[in-house]
Amino acid sequence: DGEWGMGIEIYASQNVILENIISKDNWGDGFYVGNKTLNSLFCAITADNNRRQGMSITSADGVTIKESIFKNTNGTAPMDGLDIEPNKGETVANIQVLNSLFLNNKGCGIESTVPTEYAGSAFVKNLIIDGNTVENNGEIGSYSAGIKTIDRGRFNTR
């Protein structure tokens, strides 16, 4: 029933660079970034066939993801390629998602949302999504999309 078996977890870190790494077949997320991580680069990473998310970002400032692949996420909701979703009292800011592929995820290719119960206490600010390919994401009958952002009047996307 669990979902916390992460391939690579990054917490309270700064100036992290991950390049040319494959994280696949994990019980939870391929990559997880949280607890106020600062100024990190993910270049040419691949998240494949992970159970919960390809990558989750829950608390960070200054993350760039480029030329990466997030595919075949399936197993337990939300099953997104990339999920940008701050926890209560946390912020995700200055995120760039560039020239990456989001393919065949059962949830969204990219999802950015603040849960309703955290509105006013969690924030997403300055999100740039540019030059990506998003194909065959979502599942018939579920509330998913290639790219989904939910603005609760609290965050700034561009």
Side-chain angles (χ1 to χ4, degrees):
D1 293 335
E3 56 188 43
W4 293 101
M6 310 309 184
I8 296 174
E9 295 177 290
I10 300 171
Y11 294 107
S13 300
Q14 58 186 335
N15 305 319
V16 173
I17 298 173
L18 292 182
E19 188 170 7
N20 295 315
I21 293 175
I22 298 170
S23 184
K24 68 181 198 172
D25 301 329
N26 292 289
W27 187 248
D29 301 2
F31 300 87
Y32 187 97
V33 179
N35 200 5
K36 301 179 182 166
T37 293
L38 302 173
N39 304 319
S40 297
L41 171 64
F42 299 85
C43 183
I45 64 168
T46 299
D48 184 12
N49 194 45
N50 294 294
R51 184 170 173 261
R52 190 179 78 128
Q53 315 279 28
M55 176 183 238
S56 291
I57 304 174
T58 62
S59 177
D61 188 351
V63 173
T64 299
I65 300 164
K66 67 180 188 175
E67 300 167 4
S68 295
I69 302 170
F70 301 87
K71 63 183 181 177
N72 304 317
T73 309
N74 68 90
T76 190
M79 299 180 281
D80 296 332
L82 171 62
D83 184 30
I84 300 166
E85 185 175 345
N87 294 320
K88 184 176 183 179
E90 296 183 324
T91 298
V92 177
N94 303 308
I95 308 299
Q96 297 183 71
V97 184
L98 309 170
N99 305 315
S100 295
L101 301 173
F102 298 87
L103 310 169
N104 304 312
N105 299 292
K106 279 203 173 178
C108 299
I110 303 170
E111 180 172 1
S112 174
T113 187
V114 172
T116 303
E117 63 271 21
Y118 300 161
S121 69
F123 306 93
V124 175
K125 300 178 181 180
N126 302 320
L127 168 61
I128 298 172
I129 300 170
D130 187 42
N132 300 285
T133 299
V134 181
E135 291 181 359
N136 198 36
N137 295 282
E139 184 173 47
I140 293 174
S142 72
Y143 185 67
S144 56
I147 299 173
K148 177 171 77 173
T149 63
I150 299 177
D151 185 350
R152 303 209 189 287
R154 305 280 194 256
F155 65 94
N156 174 15
T157 60
R158 161 172 90 119

